[in-house]
Amino acid sequence: MEEKKLPEDGAQIRFRRVDEEEWREGEFDQQNRLFIEIYSPELVTHNSSDIEEWIHRDIG
């Protein structure tokens, strides 16, 4: 099985989990391989293996 390409450390991204259709905004922590939601009232992280797809966020 081919490993999915992951974003660079600290990248501002939008991502979607394999078990949901909702897109979330966050950033990527390369050291821990976690996708971190940035607009959540509490700290919410997602393991990279749970992410179906991701794209860079348009900032500006």
Side-chain angles (χ1 to χ4, degrees):
M1 184 171 160
E2 186 178 319
E3 186 172 335
K4 295 179 190 175
K5 182 180 176 194
L6 295 173
E8 62 277 0
D9 190 39
Q12 299 291 306
I13 52 172
R14 295 183 68 218
F15 59 92
R16 186 171 59 83
R17 290 179 50 90
V18 295
D19 57 349
E20 296 179 6
E21 293 187 23
E22 176 186 356
W23 284 86
R24 302 166 190 258
E25 294 194 13
E27 68 178 52
F28 183 66
D29 174 2
Q30 190 173 37
Q31 182 177 0
N32 298 306
R33 297 175 57 102
L34 294 174
F35 288 76
I36 303 167
E37 289 186 41
I38 57 176
Y39 294 118
S40 177
E42 298 178 9
L43 178 63
V44 179
T45 61
H46 304 270
N47 191 301
S48 58
S49 63
D50 295 332
I51 304 303
E52 178 69 25
E53 65 182 307
W54 62 270
I55 57 174
H56 282 100
R57 272 187 14 178
D58 292 330
I59 300 174

